């Protein structure tokens, strides 16, 4: 920038304290969003590692493209529907452009249903504060949209995946998110009916994870199990994933991104509570992994690595809602219960519901998403949350004197299952009529890398040799035959 573009010392004014605080909040929130964005890599690694080698490229492609789809869909409609009526952005400059909520009046009270401003981020409202809120919420939407890809892996038609992901990011996810985070009716249960502070979800146990888990369950039921998953006599057959290292690496990537997810949800670098959120998060993750290890060890005679990883993720999901409102002891309990739940739930989904979920997404995200908001309704200890959702006083759960908070959380869970489940089912039915939802059995047997993408994630090495130029191929053949050493 040329020097003459800077204001002269005469008449120049330093930014005020309020401007500095807003700038710090924007930087903190954007940095947290960058961490959440990186979680897409974690999902790709975990899901790919837990599936078979013949579907590597397809699984990676879904996890890659879903991010693009979610961003575009959320920019077009999702953000406006979710946050268009949230009101002033208190920590991000106080912008009031997002103040158009469509509401209905029932029992002489207003109940918000969806927002009406912010579509396509029009120039009139495209301020730094609005841009920050958009990006932070968009990466959360991308996470929720990604979750079904794991449960439907290895038999989902790519065209159906694309259309369904647009439906989720544009319509299904934003509507429920509005009810909780955008000023909608679930957040107003406290003001309207005295149920605690309304449905509180600090960072997304219900908004992101329960939504994704319900969609995963509906989708997996709709398209059916993979070939060979259940025997003729009903026995459950294991279909092992192809790469434990990818699963472990992806789990750590997701664990790191979780700090942006949870601590970033303060939306303020000035809120020292973010440190407590981070510590509660890491303790719950650790407890979830360790509890899953002990549980599988006791039940099956040996610890199960994939369940350890899912146990860590279950602890992360479970603490996402209550992370700002509980003690460290409660965080460990919440995570440990989540680690056991994910194992027991995975077995129940397979053996009792007869649903094939290759990566355990229903249990990690759906079951533990529900457990997370229930845990808030039980363990919130009254040390934080004064004024949340317009209710005076800190958030307290059942164990600390407010049964109404637990009622609000239960209403939020029930509403999610009913709305998201029905909307997801309708979307899949419509898409099924248009393009079909499942690949043919022949294509599934061959692998989706070839049938859906026309390439292999792990090309056979002998084919690579045959495709090489003649001198290189002859040299390679000589090496393999031992005619000369590679060093020569």
């Amino acid at each position: 920038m040329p020097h003459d573009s800077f204001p002269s010392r005469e008449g120049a004014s330093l930014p005020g304290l309020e401007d500095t605080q807003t700038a710090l909040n924007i930087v903190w929130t954007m940095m947290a969003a960058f961490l959440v964005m990186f979680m897409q890599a974690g999902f790709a690694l975990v899901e790919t590692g837990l599936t078979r080698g013949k579907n590597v490229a397809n699984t990676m492609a879904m996890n890659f493209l879903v991010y693009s789809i979610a961003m575009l869909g959320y920019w077009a409609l999702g953000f406006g529907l979710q946050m268009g009526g949230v009101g002033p952005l208190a920590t991000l400059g106080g912008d009031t452009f997002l103040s158009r909520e469509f509401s209905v009046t029932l029992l002489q009270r207003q109940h918000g249903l969806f927002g009406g401003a912010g579509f396509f981020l029009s120039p009139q409202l495209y301020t730094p504060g609005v841009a920050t809120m958009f990006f932070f919420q968009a990466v959360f939407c991308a996470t929720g949209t990604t979750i079904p890809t794991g449960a439907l892996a290895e038999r989902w038609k790519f065209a159906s995946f694309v259309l369904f992901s647009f439906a989720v990011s544009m319509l299904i996810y934003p509507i429920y998110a509005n009810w909780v985070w955008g000023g909608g009716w679930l957040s107003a249960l406290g003001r309207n009916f005295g149920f605690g502070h309304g449905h509180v979800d600090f960072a997304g146990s219900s908004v992101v994870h329960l939504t994704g888990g319900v969609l995963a369950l509906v989708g997996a039921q709709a398209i059916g199990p993979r070939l060979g998953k259940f025997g003729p006599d009903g026995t459950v057959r294991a279909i092992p994933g192809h790469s434990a290292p990818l699963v472990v690496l992806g789990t750590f990537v997701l664990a790191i991104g979780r700090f942006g997810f949870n601590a970033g949800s303060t939306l303020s670098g000035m809120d020292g509570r973010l440190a407590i959120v981070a510590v509660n998060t890491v303790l719950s993750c650790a407890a979830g992994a360790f509890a899953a290890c002990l549980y599988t060890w006791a039940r099956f005679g040996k610890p199960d690595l994939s369940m350890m990883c899912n146990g860590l993720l279950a602890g992360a999901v479970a603490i996402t809602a209550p992370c700002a409102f509980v003690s460290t002891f409660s965080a460990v309990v919440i995570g440990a219960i989540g680690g056991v739940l994910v194992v027991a739930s995975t077995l129940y989904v397979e053996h009792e519901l007869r649903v094939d979920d290759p990566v355990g997404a229903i249990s990690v995200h759906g079951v533990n998403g529900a457990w997370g908001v229930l845990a808030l309704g039980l363990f919130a200890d009254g040390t934080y949350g004064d004024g949340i959702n317009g209710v005076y006083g800190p958030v307290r759960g059942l164990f600390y004197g407010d049964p109404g908070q637990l009622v609000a959380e239960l209403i939020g869970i029930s509403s999610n299952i009913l709305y998201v489940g029905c909307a997801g089912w309708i979307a899949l039915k419509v898409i099924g009529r248009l393009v079909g939802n499942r690949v043919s059995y022949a294509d599934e047997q061959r692998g989706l890398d070839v049938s859906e993408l026309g390439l292999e994630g792990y090309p056979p090495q002998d084919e690579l040799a045959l495709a090489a130029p003649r001198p290189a191929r002859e040299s390679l053949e000589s090496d393999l035959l031992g005619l000369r050493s590679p060093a020569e």
Side-chain angles (χ1 to χ4, degrees):
M1 181 182 291
H3 291 296
D4 58 3
S5 65
F6 290 99
S8 62
R9 183 174 293 275
E10 282 187 36
S13 59
L14 294 173
L17 178 59
E18 185 175 344
D19 293 333
T20 302
Q21 290 175 337
T22 297
L24 176 60
N25 293 341
I26 288 176
V27 170
W28 164 247
T29 305
M30 291 297 290
M31 292 298 295
F34 301 154
L35 281 175
V36 178
M37 175 181 172
F38 188 52
M39 290 175 69
Q40 290 297 134
F43 279 113
L45 293 169
V46 169
E47 292 181 15
T48 300
L50 287 172
T51 51
R52 289 168 290 183
K54 64 182 179 179
N55 299 308
V56 164
N58 185 77
T59 306
M60 280 285 183
M62 287 198 297
N63 279 273
F64 177 81
L65 192 63
V66 74
Y67 183 78
S68 300
I69 293 170
M71 285 292 155
L72 294 173
Y74 193 72
W75 164 72
L77 291 181
F79 180 66
L81 291 174
Q82 177 183 336
M83 304 302 292
V86 72
L89 304 179
T91 63
L92 303 175
D95 294 340
T96 59
F97 299 104
L98 303 175
S99 299
R100 191 182 304 160
E101 179 78 0
F102 179 82
S103 303
V104 296
T105 302
L106 294 173
L107 303 176
Q108 299 181 330
R109 295 173 176 86
Q110 291 293 310
H111 304 275
L113 297 180
F114 55 85
F119 304 109
F120 295 100
L121 292 179
S122 60
Q124 294 82 4
L125 53 75
Y126 194 34
T127 64
V130 172
T132 301
M133 180 60 75
F134 167 80
F135 187 63
F136 189 75
Q137 294 296 340
V139 291
F140 275 61
C141 176
T143 299
T145 308
T146 300
I147 291 168
T149 62
L152 280 66
E154 301 199 287
R155 73 271 200 208
W156 198 6
K157 186 176 286 188
F158 204 80
S160 173
F161 147 74
V162 170
L163 294 176
F164 186 70
S165 297
F166 269 117
V168 173
S169 60
M170 296 175 74
L171 296 170
I172 299 174
Y173 173 92
I175 295 296
Y176 183 79
N178 172 270
W179 298 349
V180 181
W181 288 343
W185 68 276
L186 285 175
S187 66
L189 288 173
R191 300 193 306 273
N192 287 341
F193 301 107
F195 294 140
H197 284 65
H199 182 77
V200 175
D201 182 354
F202 191 75
S205 287
S206 66
V207 174
V208 178
H209 296 288
L210 180 57
T211 295
V214 170
L215 291 171
L217 175 60
V218 170
Q221 285 181 319
I223 69 172
R226 290 169 292 174
L227 290 175
K229 179 61 181 178
F230 299 107
D233 59 351
T235 56
V236 178
R237 295 169 173 169
I239 303 180
H242 84 284
S243 176
L246 289 184
V247 178
V248 173
L249 179 60
T251 300
F252 273 115
V253 171
L254 289 170
I256 293 169
R258 181 62 51 175
F259 295 112
F261 219 87
N262 290 3
S265 292
T266 58
L267 300 178
S268 172
M270 303 297 295
D271 188 347
R273 195 72 177 184
L274 65 88
I276 291 174
V277 169
V279 172
N280 283 343
T281 298
V282 74
L283 288 174
S284 184
C285 289
F290 194 60
C293 173
L294 293 180
Y295 184 65
T296 55
W297 203 340
R299 183 161 181 172
F300 305 117
K302 293 182 180 180
D304 186 290
L305 177 59
S306 64
M307 283 301 179
M308 290 185 222
C309 292
N310 273 350
L312 184 147
L313 298 178
V317 169
I319 200 62
T320 296
C323 55
F325 308 102
V326 300
S327 67
T328 55
F329 179 79
S330 295
V332 170
V333 171
I334 291 167
I337 292 175
V340 174
L341 271 178
V342 75
V343 180
S345 173
T346 298
L347 296 173
Y348 180 82
V349 167
E350 281 194 350
H351 291 265
E352 303 299 329
L353 298 183
R354 317 298 292 177
V355 172
D356 182 16
D357 178 0
V359 305
I362 297 166
S363 300
V364 170
H365 301 281
V367 172
N368 277 284
W371 163 234
V373 287
L374 280 178
L376 188 154
L378 295 171
F379 292 101
D381 58 11
T383 58
Y384 186 74
D386 188 8
I388 284 183
N389 290 335
V391 178
Y392 176 77
V395 178
R396 299 181 186 276
L398 175 66
F399 297 155
Y400 293 86
D402 190 355
Q405 190 61 54
L406 180 60
V407 173
E409 305 305 333
L410 288 168
I411 293 173
I413 293 171
S414 303
S415 301
N416 185 295
I417 294 171
L418 181 62
Y419 162 69
V420 174
C422 290
W425 183 84
I426 292 171
L428 285 168
K429 284 294 182 181
V430 172
I431 293 168
R433 292 292 183 89
L434 293 175
V435 300
N437 288 317
R438 181 167 180 147
V439 301
S440 69
Y441 288 157
D443 286 343
E444 181 181 344
Q445 189 71 32
R446 183 167 61 241
L448 274 60
D449 284 1
V450 174
S451 63
E452 293 292 287
L453 297 182
L455 60 86
E456 292 182 284
Y458 296 137
Q461 294 302 302
D462 56 343
E463 291 186 13
L464 283 179
L466 291 173
R470 181 174 180 81
R473 186 170 72 246
E474 291 177 349
S475 175
L476 177 61
E477 291 171 351
S478 297
D479 289 343
L480 293 176
L481 292 172
L483 299 181
R484 63 183 178 86
S485 69
E488 295 176 331

